[in-house]
Amino acid sequence: MSVEMLMDIHEIKSLGYQFADAANRKDYTTFASLWADDGVWDIGEPISIRFNGLAEIKPGIEKMLSLWDFFCQMPHAPIIHINGNTATSRWTMHEIARRADQKEGNFNLALYEDKLKKIAGKWVYKLRMYESIYVDYSKLPGQAFQLPKTNT
Amino acid sequence: MSVEMLMDIHEIKSLGYQFADAANRKDYTTFASLWADDGVWDIGEPISIRFNGLAEIKPGIEKMLSLWDFFCQMPHAPIIHINGNTATSRWTMHEIARRADQKEGNFNLALYEDKLKKIAGKWVYKLRMYESIYVDYSKLPGQAFQLPKTNT
Amino acid sequence: MSVEMLMDIHEIKSLGYQFADAANRKDYTTFASLWADDGVWDIGEPISIRFNGLAEIKPGIEKMLSLWDFFCQMPHAPIIHINGNTATSRWTMHEIARRADQKEGNFNLALYEDKLKKIAGKWVYKLRMYESIYVDYSKLPGQAFQLPKTNT
């Protein structure tokens, strides 16, 4: 393995970490910066929504995150394959969220299957496919907190 | 720290990620490729099973994963020590699974304590010891999904 | 990105992993070694405690971890920015613990916002701020196990 390969792997992992971190903090600007302009975000069963291009992804993430009084995505076990300026990644995802209206929970386990492209030296998502493993809508009885505004 | 050490650490982390990813997708070929031929998989209380060598590990993982209608392993916080061609790793594990028969859950927290060996340039497990922190068998009321077949 | 930067990022990630691993094993010596002498550990709502310097952090962690019959911290999605010998990190945290007395649970989601400093070639925490996202005190009905003593 070359040092360049190790750096590419690091950057592709970082992309997945930034995706979760931006979603958890409702940082829509960072979230949008992780995608190719023509990127596709495909969320499978039971939600079954597909966003084509940043023009759909940007309002899509804002609408989805506005549903929750808290949302927390936790990515695990990145599996990365690089082939020149294209790559794939797969993650085991755990998300815990709660609807602001009825306090219905979303306790989710899933895989993300991704295609990436290196454009002008920066890895971005061409495709993220969310494949559910387990979804539990039981009510979540705990207390949610408002995060302070951060800059970093 | 040398670049070679950084690459070894990367590969040992990847081994733990591949273990979880292969188990979560029931990819038995990849799962088997992560072990030395004489590797030992020691699962402590309350399961208390020990698999000696790949000849026992291969049917063991197939039997164990056949119990669940879903299984999701999430590895965290890798602690890695390398000494030449041998190494240790430790992970904080979270697993959520459900028995296919009675819908009894397995909500587990544990440590993995591992011994590794570099054989012909590839790190593999000589020993994985699973040490439970918490096990909850409460029923899990949500919906499980079948993963699509993947190639990567 | 330089190789030195990649190594610094690796070491800052490792610091977060050691923090969780040491807390999960009640390894107070390792836990203390991760802080600057004048480090500050600021735990926000609903706990609202601030420990100023190692002289307060050491007894603080011992007292906090003595409350639980099990404690498991799982760090996710590290976001790291380095500027010379100072750095910031942010993590998405998931903790599951149970009070030894009443079996009341602590099922927590949070962010850690950190400031770090490289002192004599070693990264340490100057500040860790814990910001809650969700806290659930529901009872946890499962079984806790005693971890064996480890050396690594």
Side-chain angles (χ1 to χ4, degrees):
Chain A
M1 181 185 296
S2 67
V3 171
E4 287 69 32
M5 179 69 84
L6 202 61
M7 287 178 179
D8 279 329
I9 290 171
H10 164 70
E11 285 166 16
I12 290 170
K13 283 186 192 176
S14 289
L15 205 67
Y17 294 148
Q18 288 177 270
F19 186 96
D21 175 73
N24 295 348
R25 294 182 302 109
K26 295 190 169 67
D27 174 349
Y28 301 119
T29 305
T30 298
F31 190 89
S33 75
L34 310 175
W35 296 87
D37 284 348
D38 62 350
V40 173
W41 189 16
D42 188 319
I43 302 169
E45 294 185 275
I47 297 178
S48 305
I49 302 181
R50 186 179 170 105
F51 300 103
N52 292 294
L54 265 179
E56 290 185 13
I57 289 171
K58 281 183 190 175
I61 184 68
E62 294 203 29
K63 186 174 176 190
M64 289 179 73
L65 289 180
S66 72
L67 297 174
W68 315 110
D69 66 355
F70 76 90
F71 174 89
C72 193
Q73 180 180 86
M74 294 166 278
H76 306 84
I79 305 293
I80 293 165
H81 296 283
I82 298 175
N83 185 5
N85 284 323
T86 64
T88 61
S89 62
R90 184 171 51 241
W91 299 81
T92 298
M93 308 302 293
H94 186 17
E95 291 162 328
I96 307 178
R98 184 169 64 184
R99 289 189 70 102
D101 46 7
Q102 300 293 339
K103 304 300 177 196
E104 183 185 75
N106 255 253
F107 186 98
N108 302 340
L109 301 167
L111 295 187
Y112 254 126
E113 297 263 12
D114 310 313
K115 292 188 193 301
L116 302 99
K117 194 169 180 182
K118 199 174 192 176
I119 299 176
K122 182 182 180 307
W123 288 99
V124 288
Y125 288 119
K126 291 281 288 180
L127 173 65
R128 297 211 90 182
M129 288 179 56
Y130 185 88
E131 300 167 349
S132 292
I133 293 173
Y134 178 71
V135 175
D136 184 349
Y137 296 133
S138 299
K139 290 204 178 188
L140 295 173
Q143 183 182 0
F145 293 83
Q146 203 69 28
L147 285 172
K149 296 292 172 196
T150 56
N151 305 304
T152 50
Chain B
M1 183 186 294
S2 68
V3 171
E4 287 68 33
M5 180 68 85
L6 202 61
M7 288 179 178
D8 280 329
I9 290 172
H10 164 71
E11 286 166 16
I12 290 170
K13 284 187 191 176
S14 288
L15 206 67
Y17 295 148
Q18 287 176 271
F19 186 96
D21 176 73
N24 294 349
R25 294 181 301 110
K26 295 189 168 71
D27 175 348
Y28 302 119
T29 306
T30 298
F31 190 90
S33 74
L34 310 175
W35 296 87
D37 284 348
D38 61 351
V40 173
W41 188 16
D42 188 319
I43 302 169
E45 293 185 274
I47 297 178
S48 305
I49 303 180
R50 186 178 169 106
F51 300 104
N52 292 295
L54 266 178
E56 290 185 12
I57 289 171
K58 281 183 190 175
I61 183 70
E62 294 203 29
K63 186 174 177 191
M64 289 179 74
L65 289 181
S66 71
L67 296 174
W68 316 111
D69 66 355
F70 75 91
F71 174 89
C72 193
Q73 180 180 88
M74 294 167 279
H76 305 84
I79 305 293
I80 293 166
H81 296 283
I82 298 175
N83 184 5
N85 284 322
T86 64
T88 62
S89 61
R90 182 170 53 241
W91 298 82
T92 298
M93 308 301 294
H94 186 17
E95 292 163 327
I96 308 178
R98 185 170 64 184
R99 289 188 71 102
D101 47 6
Q102 300 294 338
K103 304 299 177 197
E104 184 185 75
N106 256 253
F107 185 98
N108 302 339
L109 301 167
L111 295 187
Y112 254 126
E113 297 262 13
D114 311 313
K115 291 188 193 301
L116 302 100
K117 194 169 180 182
K118 198 173 192 176
I119 301 175
K122 183 183 180 305
W123 288 100
V124 288
Y125 288 119
K126 290 282 288 179
L127 172 66
R128 296 211 91 182
M129 287 178 58
Y130 185 89
E131 300 166 350
S132 291
I133 293 172
Y134 178 72
V135 175
D136 184 349
Y137 295 134
S138 299
K139 289 205 177 188
L140 295 173
Q143 184 182 0
F145 293 83
Q146 203 68 27
L147 285 173
K149 297 290 172 196
T150 56
N151 305 305
T152 51
Chain C
M1 183 186 294
S2 68
V3 171
E4 287 69 32
M5 179 69 84
L6 203 61
M7 288 178 178
D8 279 328
I9 290 172
H10 163 71
E11 285 165 16
I12 290 170
K13 284 187 192 177
S14 288
L15 205 67
Y17 295 148
Q18 288 176 272
F19 186 96
D21 176 73
N24 295 347
R25 295 182 301 109
K26 294 190 170 70
D27 175 349
Y28 302 119
T29 306
T30 298
F31 190 90
S33 75
L34 310 175
W35 295 87
D37 284 348
D38 61 351
V40 173
W41 188 16
D42 189 320
I43 302 170
E45 294 185 275
I47 296 178
S48 305
I49 302 181
R50 185 179 171 105
F51 300 103
N52 292 294
L54 266 178
E56 290 185 13
I57 289 172
K58 282 182 189 176
I61 184 68
E62 294 203 29
K63 186 174 177 191
M64 290 179 75
L65 289 180
S66 72
L67 296 175
W68 316 110
D69 66 356
F70 77 90
F71 174 89
C72 193
Q73 179 180 88
M74 295 167 278
H76 305 85
I79 304 292
I80 293 165
H81 296 283
I82 298 176
N83 184 5
N85 284 323
T86 65
T88 62
S89 61
R90 184 170 51 239
W91 299 81
T92 297
M93 308 302 293
H94 186 17
E95 292 163 327
I96 308 178
R98 185 170 63 184
R99 288 188 71 102
D101 47 5
Q102 301 293 339
K103 304 300 177 196
E104 182 185 77
N106 256 252
F107 186 98
N108 302 339
L109 301 168
L111 295 187
Y112 254 125
E113 298 263 12
D114 311 314
K115 292 188 194 300
L116 302 100
K117 194 169 180 183
K118 198 174 193 176
I119 300 175
K122 183 183 181 304
W123 288 100
V124 288
Y125 288 118
K126 289 282 288 179
L127 172 66
R128 297 210 91 182
M129 287 178 58
Y130 185 88
E131 300 166 349
S132 292
I133 293 173
Y134 178 72
V135 175
D136 184 349
Y137 295 134
S138 299
K139 289 204 177 188
L140 294 173
Q143 183 182 0
F145 293 84
Q146 203 68 27
L147 285 172
K149 296 291 172 195
T150 57
N151 305 305
T152 51

